[in-house]
Amino acid sequence: MPSTSNASPAWAPHVYADRRPFLIARNRIQARLRAWFESHGFLEVETPILQTSPGNEAHLSAFKTQLIQPDNEINDLYLHTSPEFACKKLLAAGEPRLFTFARCFRNRERTGQHHPEFTMLEWYRANETYEALMADCAALLACAAEATGTAQFAYGSARCDPFATPERLTLAEAFARYADIDLLANLSDAPGALHAAAAAQGIRLAADDSWSDVFSRIVAEKIEPHLGHGRPTILCDYPAEEAALARRKRSDSRVAERFELYACGLELANGFGELTDAAEQRRRFEEEEQIRQRVYGETYPIDEDFLAALTRMPNASGIALGFDRLAMLAAGARRIEDVLFLPVVG
């Protein structure tokens, strides 16, 4: 169906001309990042977009399609929401370090910071901790800034020095600092307590909001706006229930080896110490699909080949970085569509 918007199409010469400097900057950033990975012993891989499962995190919605075989047998497939499953299968196959610039697809997502079709930069390190990924993030922010010749990232009124050492902040510290809530005293075995604490901070909630819903609202309203100002922020030690693909920390099983990278209040990356326990991963996926059924009235299949690969996968760390968002910040663009060559119509 043609777009009903009165705005000029993305290919209109005057619209494209306005975006072209951002697009050139995007290409320079991608080339600089690719060179960094190759110089550090990473193999670039290209993973399939069509998958038997698009992923099993309840908050991610996928695009569904069908594969018609020569004998007219029809198989349901999905456009992947992330190349994660395929990358981990390659770790199981023996690749020690790999990266990919993957075209990804997510439904129900479109804002100035989100687009239904976008590029994810993912990379993985076998037999290395997720702390190595934190160092990678600092290096890549500097690479992006060098590629565009900028001394600072800007988004709205926010500013961030991409060359500065990132601040490291745990979720418990962030909840105490910005929301005046003791997170670890209000974990998921006491959802009512966290609900009450959030309400006391003026956060509007529904009576049937789950613990995870309340947690996410606190993060979005009270914490994220403060992150990555002046210098990047690494937000780490997520509650284990909020890290479906990460292993628990040995030093504190209440939290997981998960972190997110922020600059100018924007989340740029999500990293893990990867879970390799296939039985535990299956249990978590099944819980996520129960949530999806309750919220959206649908479920996605579980990739059995992925679970089998986990039984052979070495200990590893992995991370997904929204490349378009990074390009937007480094190029000085105002919205994500400014760094997409031809944004989807609709």
Side-chain angles (χ1 to χ4, degrees):
M1 178 180 295
S3 173
T4 58
S5 172
N6 293 323
S8 299
W11 51 263
H14 67 285
V15 175
Y16 184 76
D18 288 343
R19 288 206 324 275
R20 192 169 186 271
F22 298 133
L23 300 173
I24 292 173
R26 174 195 173 95
N27 282 0
R28 288 174 178 162
I29 296 165
Q30 187 172 36
R32 182 70 179 82
L33 268 55
R34 180 175 276 120
W36 185 91
F37 280 108
E38 291 174 350
S39 71
H40 286 77
F42 286 80
L43 176 70
E44 183 169 11
V45 300
E46 188 172 308
T47 58
I49 289 172
L50 292 174
Q51 296 286 322
T52 58
S53 171
N56 299 101
E57 293 176 80
H59 66 284
L60 297 183
S61 295
F63 291 88
K64 187 176 182 179
T65 188
Q66 290 184 326
L67 172 66
I68 303 175
Q69 302 285 7
D71 62 0
N72 288 324
E73 178 186 351
I74 296 177
N75 303 119
D76 289 335
L77 293 175
Y78 299 84
L79 305 185
H80 68 184
T81 57
S82 159
E84 180 171 3
F85 288 4
C87 287
K88 289 181 179 178
K89 291 173 185 178
L90 289 171
L91 289 174
E95 283 298 340
R97 291 185 179 182
L98 58 94
F99 77 102
T100 182
F101 286 95
R103 212 63 180 162
C104 297
F105 305 83
R106 294 184 182 180
N107 232 332
R108 296 190 174 97
E109 292 191 11
R110 191 160 194 179
T111 70
Q113 305 168 15
H114 300 83
H115 197 270
E117 180 180 358
F118 63 99
T119 298
M120 188 84 85
L121 167 59
E122 291 202 10
W123 69 98
Y124 293 81
R125 291 176 172 269
N127 298 309
E128 295 185 72
T129 70
Y130 75 138
E131 302 235 345
L133 301 178
M134 297 181 188
D136 292 344
C137 285
L140 294 178
L141 292 180
C143 285
E146 290 166 356
T148 59
T150 185
Q152 68 175 2
F153 292 165
Y155 186 72
S157 62
R159 299 293 182 269
C160 178
D161 180 353
F163 300 99
T165 300
E167 170 193 29
R168 193 177 300 189
L169 188 67
T170 70
L171 261 295
E173 291 168 340
F175 266 62
R177 180 185 301 178
Y178 299 121
D180 195 25
I181 294 173
D182 186 337
L183 175 64
L184 298 181
N186 290 282
L187 290 178
S188 56
D189 57 344
L194 187 65
H195 193 291
Q201 295 299 318
I203 297 175
R204 299 182 64 180
L205 302 166
D208 61 348
D209 277 345
S210 68
W211 189 94
S212 183
D213 292 332
V214 178
F215 172 85
S216 296
R217 288 176 187 268
I218 296 170
V219 172
E221 295 185 23
K222 296 292 185 179
I223 295 173
E224 284 186 331
H226 300 283
L227 304 180
H229 292 267
R231 59 173 172 157
T233 299
I234 289 175
L235 189 64
C236 59
D237 291 5
Y238 275 69
E241 291 78 7
E242 297 301 311
L245 291 121
R247 58 176 173 250
R248 293 176 184 262
K249 290 193 72 171
R250 290 183 179 179
S251 59
D252 187 348
S253 63
R254 296 174 298 176
V255 299
E257 293 186 358
R258 176 189 173 190
F259 74 91
E260 291 191 343
L261 172 69
Y262 286 84
C264 297
L266 288 179
E267 177 206 338
L268 294 181
N270 188 13
F272 300 133
E274 302 292 355
L275 179 67
T276 56
D277 182 331
E280 172 63 13
Q281 188 65 84
R282 181 187 296 278
R283 184 190 69 78
R284 295 186 190 182
F285 280 169
E286 289 172 348
E287 286 185 353
E288 291 287 307
E289 290 306 318
Q290 289 173 5
I291 297 171
R292 189 192 311 279
Q293 178 64 49
R294 173 175 59 82
V295 176
Y296 298 114
E298 64 178 356
T299 59
Y300 297 152
I302 291 174
D303 185 342
E304 296 293 340
D305 191 45
F306 168 68
L307 292 180
L310 285 186
T311 66
R312 298 184 59 86
M313 193 178 112
N315 288 330
S317 59
I319 186 167
L321 183 148
F323 177 69
D324 306 302
R325 285 191 184 181
L326 177 60
M328 182 177 70
L329 289 183
R334 294 177 300 169
R335 57 180 186 161
I336 201 166
E337 291 195 357
D338 290 338
V339 293
L340 303 180
F341 276 86
L342 285 174
V344 65
V345 174

